């Protein structure tokens, strides 16, 4: 069966392959998966915070294990969609390796210390284009990861498109009224006042333009559409078909798998779960799930490890098998004209799990103290390097900084450098700089 023109366009890379390797019969997505798996940015996820701080225990999830679980869920969703919607899956050339690749890479732009690090970098970059983890992921795959000299991982266009969750620019989506007053001290920065808009960086516009080049003008304009208000940052409205699968996989991994960590560590109580999740879910009358949530709750909080695992697997399966494909009005390009969606009832049920994790785990004072501590570490590192980049940055980063400074974008290189750090590296570097009794030559200073 001949390959269509839109498929050929989406297989393109910014840097065409200059050599062929004998016996290499992989498709473009298999090559992209290898580039993600073997990247330094992906490896660093093993030492970056997911929900709970890295180093407190070797049991719970990091950004790496979360990404692996999201990838497994993503391939499960792909198999279900091929079974339930074979004609659409065939027309869209839905590929399990592609979805796995996107899920594996979706968090590589997140900085150390979870959302505390993201808040910190957005605050320090507020006059220089802001910072947001998904925007940083786009920078890593398109230019920062040294798989190529200047083109990052040089992924094919379809893989890149699947990673763009928010197809517009932070500068466009930013609402001044959504930002709090600038405090006199870094220690007074309130996280709720400095959440970034979710989007790409304006300095990367040429790369985004290349990504969208195969789309017609009407599709481009609609794809970048956003909704806004006077009191909150604007939000983009659309995403590609592949990205919609990745986002569902990410939500399921966050709402169900991250809950497991909290239960095992006795961070949440069964009575609270029954009140906030079990009882509301029963009232939703969702097929199978509402009838079985009481027994699943008992298994979730059981001291028998295998029962908890059984419940986790059953919950994940119920959400995966509910996912459908829906038409998105207004688009002519196949990958924009369809999205994977969760039926309303199941969507409300998953939202109950996500809200429970957010309120009972992420917003816990002890977790927020860790996030605040990481926030300070990142801001003070940024402040130190910004004071004299030509003196303090490692040599390879200095070279990038000088080139960017000539173009008026030197601070972006500082954000690139610090966001690439692991929690442990950032903590050691902070101690080396600011603790009088610490110091010496930093191990592996070149990250």
């Amino acid at each position: 069966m001949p390959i269509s023109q839109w498929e050929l366009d989406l297989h393109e890379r910014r840097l065409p392959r200059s050599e062929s390797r004998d016996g290499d019969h992989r498709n473009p997505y298999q090559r992209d998966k290898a580039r993600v798996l073997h990247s330094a940015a992906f490896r660093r996820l093993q030492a970056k915070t997911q929900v709970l701080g890295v180093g407190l225990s070797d049991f719970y999830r990091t950004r790496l294990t979360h990404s692996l679980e999201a990838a497994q869920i993503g391939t499960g969703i792909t198999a279900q969609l091929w079974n339930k919607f074979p004609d659409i899956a065939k027309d869209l050339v839905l590929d399990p390796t592609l979805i796995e690749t996107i899920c594996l890479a979706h968090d590589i732009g997140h900085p150390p210390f979870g959302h505390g690090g993201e808040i910190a970098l957005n605050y320090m970059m507020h006059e220089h284009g802001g910072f947001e983890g998904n925007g940083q992921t786009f920078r890593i795959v398109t230019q920062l990861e040294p798989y190529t000299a200047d083109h990052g991982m040089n992924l094919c266009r379809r893989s890149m498109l699947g990673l763009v969750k928010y197809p517009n620019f932070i500068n466009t989506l930013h609402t001044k009224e959504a930002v709090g007053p600038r405090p006199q001290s870094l220690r007074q920065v309130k996280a709720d006042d400095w959440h970034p808009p979710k989007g790409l960086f304006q300095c990367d516009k040429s790369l985004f333009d290349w990504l969208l080049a195969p789309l017609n003008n009407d599709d481009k304009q609609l794809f970048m559409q956003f909704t806004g208000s006077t009191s909150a940052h604007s939000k983009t409205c659309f995403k590609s078909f592949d990205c919609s699968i990745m986002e569902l996989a990410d939500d399921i991994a966050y709402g169900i798998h991250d809950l497991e960590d909290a239960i095992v560590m006795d961070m949440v109580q069964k009575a609270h779960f029954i009140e906030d999740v079990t009882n509301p879910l029963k009232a939703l009358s969702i097929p199978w799930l509402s009838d079985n949530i009481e027994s699943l709750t008992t298994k979730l909080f059981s001291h028998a490890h295998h029962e908890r695992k059984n419940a986790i697997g059953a919950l994940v399966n119920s959400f995966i098998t509910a996912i459908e494909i829906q038409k998105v009005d207004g688009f002519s390009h196949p990958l924009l004209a369809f999205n994977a969606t969760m039926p309303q009832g199941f969507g409300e049920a998953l939202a109950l799990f996500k809200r429970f994790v957010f309120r009972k785990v992420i917003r816990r004072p002890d977790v927020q103290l860790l996030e605040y501590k990481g926030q300070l570490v990142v801001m003070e590192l940024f402040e130190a390097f910004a004071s004299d980049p030509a003196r303090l940055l490692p040599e390879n980063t200095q070279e990038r900084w000088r080139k960017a400074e000539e173009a008026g974008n030197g601070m972006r290189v500082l954000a690139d450098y610090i966001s690439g750090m692991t929690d442990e590296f950032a903590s050691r570097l902070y101690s080396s700089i600011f603790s009088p009794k610490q110091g010496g030559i930093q191990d592996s200073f070149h990250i």
Side-chain angles (χ1 to χ4, degrees), residues 22-175:
D22 290 342
D24 186 354
H25 301 296
R26 294 175 298 171
N27 68 31
Y29 312 129
Q30 291 168 328
R31 294 191 182 97
D32 285 355
K33 177 185 173 182
R35 295 179 187 191
V36 171
L37 279 176
H38 295 292
S39 68
F42 181 72
R43 289 196 303 274
R44 291 189 190 110
L45 295 178
Q46 68 186 306
K48 289 191 177 187
T49 294
Q50 169 61 14
V51 172
L52 305 172
V54 171
L56 296 179
S57 167
D58 60 3
F59 168 80
Y60 51 70
R61 289 158 172 84
T62 64
R63 286 274 177 192
L64 179 66
T65 55
H66 163 77
S67 299
L68 292 171
E69 287 174 336
Q72 185 269 329
I73 293 171
T75 55
I77 294 172
T78 302
Q80 285 294 322
L81 294 181
W82 264 104
N83 184 58
K84 293 168 67 175
F85 303 92
D87 293 338
I88 299 177
K90 182 179 179 181
D91 290 343
L92 297 180
V93 199
L94 176 57
D95 187 283
T97 305
L98 167 68
I99 301 303
E100 186 179 12
T101 300
I102 294 169
C103 291
L104 288 171
H106 82 281
D107 264 355
I108 59 175
H110 279 260
F113 307 112
H115 290 292
E118 185 176 54
I119 294 294
L121 286 175
N122 184 53
Y123 177 80
M124 301 306 289
M125 289 289 292
H126 77 286
E127 293 181 352
H128 309 285
F131 180 88
E132 198 271 331
N134 297 281
Q136 191 66 20
T137 294
F138 186 74
R139 281 182 66 76
I140 289 171
V141 300
T142 57
Q143 56 197 300
L144 298 181
E145 180 65 34
Y147 180 84
T148 62
D150 301 304
H151 296 83
M153 294 185 195
N154 194 36
L155 303 181
C156 69
R157 188 181 261 118
R158 183 164 180 175
S159 296
M160 288 170 55
L161 185 64
L163 284 168
V164 177
K165 294 173 70 173
Y166 312 106
N168 211 311
F169 302 101
I170 284 181
N171 291 9
T172 304
L173 303 170
H174 187 273
T175 300

Side-chain angles (χ1 to χ4, degrees), residues 17 30 41 57 105 112 128 162 164 169 176 190 227 263 265 283-284 287 313 351 363 378-379 388 407 433:
R17 297 185 75 200
Q30 291 168 328
S57 167
H128 309 285
V164 177
F169 302 101
K176 290 183 178 180
K190 293 183 178 180
T227 58
I263 293 173
M265 297 183 68
L284 289 175
R363 297 302 295 180
V378 170
M379 289 191 294
D388 197 347
I433 294 173

Side-chain angles (χ1 to χ4, degrees), residues 32 55 68 70 106 135 154 217 237 244 250 260 313 322 346 361 366 391:
D32 285 355
L68 292 171
H106 82 281
N154 194 36
N217 287 333
C237 302
S244 70
D250 187 22
E260 182 183 10
F346 281 92
V361 182
D366 52 351
R391 175 189 179 195

Side-chain angles (χ1 to χ4, degrees), residues 69-85 245 248-253 256-257 288-289 312-325 340-343 346 350:
E69 287 174 336
Q72 185 269 329
I73 293 171
T75 55
I77 294 172
T78 302
Q80 285 294 322
L81 294 181
W82 264 104
N83 184 58
K84 293 168 67 175
F85 303 92
I245 297 175
L248 287 171
D250 187 22
D251 285 347
I252 294 170
I256 308 301
H257 284 301
W288 188 86
L289 192 53
I312 292 290
L315 285 168
V316 170
N317 179 73
S318 69
F319 287 114
I320 288 177
T321 55
I323 292 172
E324 302 173 342
I325 296 178
T341 62
M342 191 79 75
F346 281 92
L350 184 56

Side-chain angles (χ1 to χ4, degrees), residues 154-444:
N154 194 36
L155 303 181
C156 69
R157 188 181 261 118
R158 183 164 180 175
S159 296
M160 288 170 55
L161 185 64
L163 284 168
V164 177
K165 294 173 70 173
Y166 312 106
N168 211 311
F169 302 101
I170 284 181
N171 291 9
T172 304
L173 303 170
H174 187 273
T175 300
K176 290 183 178 180
E177 289 76 9
V179 177
R182 190 161 178 82
Q184 295 181 344
S185 167
L186 295 181
R187 298 188 176 189
Q188 297 175 333
V189 173
K190 293 183 178 180
D192 288 345
D193 290 342
W194 294 93
H195 284 290
K198 293 184 179 297
L200 306 174
F201 306 136
Q202 191 68 41
C203 59
D204 298 328
K205 183 179 184 301
S206 62
L207 300 171
F208 188 57
D209 288 343
W210 176 87
L211 177 61
L212 301 190
L215 304 182
N216 63 44
N217 287 333
D218 289 342
D219 275 1
K220 287 180 186 178
Q221 292 180 11
L222 184 58
F223 188 50
M224 296 178 66
Q225 187 174 315
F226 57 89
T227 58
S229 68
T230 58
S231 60
H233 294 309
S234 298
K235 297 180 180 179
T236 55
C237 302
F238 301 103
K239 56 184 63 65
S240 71
F241 174 67
D242 302 323
C243 185
S244 70
I245 297 175
M246 176 267 284
E247 192 158 49
L248 287 171
D250 187 22
D251 285 347
I252 294 170
Y254 167 75
I256 308 301
H257 284 301
D258 289 356
L259 171 66
E260 182 183 10
D261 283 354
I263 293 173
V264 172
M265 297 183 68
D266 292 325
M267 298 181 71
V268 295
Q269 297 179 17
K270 183 178 180 179
H272 292 156
F273 184 84
I274 291 173
E275 180 181 354
D276 293 349
V277 179
T278 307
N279 291 338
L281 210 159
K282 285 169 58 180
L284 289 175
S285 299
I286 300 169
W288 188 86
L289 192 53
S290 293
D291 292 336
N292 288 274
I293 188 60
E294 283 187 332
S295 63
L296 290 172
T297 300
T298 300
K299 289 182 179 180
L300 279 175
F301 287 86
S302 169
H303 292 296
H305 183 78
H306 69 279
E307 289 196 351
R308 185 174 61 252
K309 280 297 182 186
N310 180 274
I312 292 290
L315 285 168
V316 170
N317 179 73
S318 69
F319 287 114
I320 288 177
T321 55
I323 292 172
E324 302 173 342
I325 296 178
Q326 289 190 348
K327 188 83 169 61
V328 182
D329 294 334
F331 289 105
S332 60
H333 195 283
L335 282 189
L336 304 184
F338 294 92
N339 268 186
T341 62
M342 191 79 75
Q344 182 177 352
F346 281 92
E348 292 174 3
L350 184 56
L352 290 173
F353 283 93
K354 290 171 61 180
R355 279 198 298 270
F356 183 78
V357 171
F358 180 76
R359 293 172 181 171
K360 299 298 184 181
V361 182
I362 293 177
R363 297 302 295 180
R364 276 174 58 117
D366 52 351
V367 175
Q368 286 301 304
L369 278 173
L370 286 174
E371 201 170 282
Y372 174 76
K373 181 180 178 180
Q375 178 181 311
L376 281 179
V377 168
V378 170
M379 289 191 294
E380 295 197 23
L381 284 177
F382 192 103
E383 188 176 55
F385 286 115
S387 70
D388 197 347
R391 175 189 179 195
L392 299 176
L393 288 172
E395 291 181 4
N396 60 333
T397 309
Q398 280 188 35
E399 185 177 345
R400 285 188 55 238
W401 174 79
R402 289 191 181 96
K403 291 180 180 179
E405 189 70 3
E406 291 176 1
N409 201 31
M411 290 299 174
R412 181 59 62 190
V413 174
L414 298 188
D416 291 340
Y417 176 54
I418 294 174
S419 70
M421 296 177 182
T422 63
D423 294 19
E424 176 61 24
F425 185 93
S427 296
R428 283 193 286 114
L429 185 57
Y430 179 90
S431 296
S432 180
I433 294 173
F434 296 111
S435 178
K437 294 186 178 181
Q438 300 292 325
I441 303 300
Q442 271 287 109
D443 292 332
S444 64

